[in-house]
Amino acid sequence: MERLGPGSFHGCITRSLRVADFILTESEFDPYSRLPRHAHENSYFCFALQGGFTERCGSREVVYQPSALTFRASGQPHEAIVHEMHTRVLMVEISSRLTEKLKADSLTIKSTAELCGGTMSRLCARLNREFHKADSAAHLAIEGLALELVAEATRQPYRRIGAAPGWLRQAREMIVEHFSEPLKLKQIAGEVGVHPVYLATAFRQKFGVTVGEFVRQLRIEHACADLINGDLPLAAIALQAGFVDQSHFSKVFKLYVGMTPHKYRSLVRSS
């Protein structure tokens, strides 16, 4: 199995920066590309900026959309396949020195998946903005945000995510097929034959996000594809993705992706 050293990642590395105990790397992947089974020398966070991919880690298979976040410990084997669109991710590596210091202080970070929309995702969005700035304060801001990210990660509760039961997989598939529609939790629960409260709890435990957050993930990924590949006005993109109006779409998009839809479209088309 391939083992990658510090700063080494699959895909096309477009930018890399070492700041104190962290290495930030932006990498791009062509549609349908495959990442063979491998592991990394450093532990790292991976933040999806654009596109999407499915990762297999042991017996688990997780789908990542824009603003989804995961943590992989040093030496943890995994492989992935990129979805049907150009994909871009930000990796934040933690030095072995800092990892050992965390262990000495009895602080650990568990592998996490699909932390879309939470505090950690917002920290990563801010990290990404600072990563692309050239002013003299950027390094200081990056170190502070990265340390805050690590601190927040050590506070995350541990969730053991096993194989989802058939009814829960059915619920997830139903959401994927109808994400742009005004789905109700009661409606989904009725289709799979469970109580809405039980569905909400089980979904969060197994997939790491609430039903509502998962719907927003899917809507944001759909909107990203439209922004990259078409010339539809923002209002039309918002409605097609399931948002109430352009204003609501822009607000949610900026929260998840870290920039407005207009800026995102300009950025990806100029890159």
Side-chain angles (χ1 to χ4, degrees):
M1 181 186 67
E2 185 180 20
R3 188 178 178 92
L4 301 178
S8 298
F9 290 92
H10 286 287
C12 176
I13 295 177
T14 56
R15 183 175 175 83
S16 184
L17 181 67
R18 186 184 294 266
V19 178
D21 282 304
F22 304 95
I23 304 175
L24 278 68
T25 304
E26 184 179 272
S27 192
E28 297 183 348
F29 303 88
D30 291 331
Y32 303 110
S33 56
R34 290 179 177 271
L35 281 65
R37 192 167 183 267
H38 65 283
H40 295 263
E41 186 176 324
N42 282 341
S43 300
Y44 71 99
F45 294 95
C46 178
F47 183 59
L49 298 168
Q50 173 188 337
F53 59 97
T54 298
E55 184 185 72
R56 180 181 293 277
C57 186
S59 61
R60 290 175 51 201
E61 191 171 276
V62 184
V63 177
Y64 294 94
Q65 320 290 353
S67 287
L69 172 67
T70 189
F71 173 81
R72 290 285 167 252
S74 170
Q76 189 172 17
H78 56 280
E79 57 189 299
I81 181 168
V82 179
H83 296 173
E84 67 277 5
M85 58 187 296
H86 187 80
T87 292
R88 188 164 54 95
V89 299
L90 171 68
M91 271 76 72
V92 182
E93 287 182 84
I94 305 172
S95 72
S96 57
R97 189 185 75 86
L98 179 55
T99 299
E100 290 304 314
K101 185 177 185 303
L102 291 172
K103 289 180 181 178
D105 293 335
S106 299
L107 296 173
T108 58
I109 305 175
K110 303 295 184 181
S111 292
T112 56
E114 294 189 358
L115 295 170
C116 188
T119 301
M120 293 173 65
S121 286
R122 287 192 286 272
L123 285 170
C124 283
R126 291 174 61 191
L127 265 172
N128 185 53
R129 289 197 295 272
E130 294 294 341
F131 182 47
H132 287 89
K133 289 182 180 179
D135 62 83
S136 57
H139 280 218
L140 185 62
I142 287 171
E143 184 179 4
L145 288 167
L147 286 170
E148 191 175 349
L149 178 66
V150 170
E152 187 66 30
T154 63
R155 297 189 176 113
Q156 293 294 312
Y158 174 63
R159 294 187 306 269
R160 184 171 182 176
I161 303 178
W167 65 265
L168 191 54
R169 294 196 301 271
Q170 182 185 346
R172 182 179 173 122
E173 290 168 3
M174 179 180 175
I175 295 168
V176 171
E177 291 176 4
H178 302 280
F179 70 88
S180 63
E181 302 171 17
L183 289 172
K184 301 291 185 183
L185 192 62
K186 183 177 180 180
Q187 175 189 355
I188 302 169
E191 287 290 332
V192 299
V194 299
H195 192 279
V197 174
Y198 185 53
L199 169 62
T201 302
F203 197 95
R204 172 74 181 185
Q205 289 176 341
K206 292 297 182 183
F207 301 125
V209 288
T210 66
V211 172
E213 287 171 339
F214 183 59
V215 169
R216 284 190 287 272
Q217 283 182 6
L218 295 172
R219 290 177 176 178
I220 290 296
E221 182 179 25
H222 185 275
C224 284
D226 281 345
L227 288 167
I228 296 168
N229 302 317
D231 294 305
L232 287 173
L234 296 184
I237 292 174
L239 292 176
Q240 286 190 12
F243 292 97
V244 176
D245 51 37
Q246 183 179 334
S247 176
H248 179 232
F249 165 54
S250 296
K251 182 179 180 180
V252 175
F253 191 93
K254 186 173 182 180
L255 178 66
Y256 277 64
V257 182
M259 65 186 75
T260 64
H262 177 74
K263 185 174 181 180
Y264 177 83
R265 173 181 265 171
S266 299
L267 181 65
V268 296
R269 291 192 176 186
S270 63
S271 61

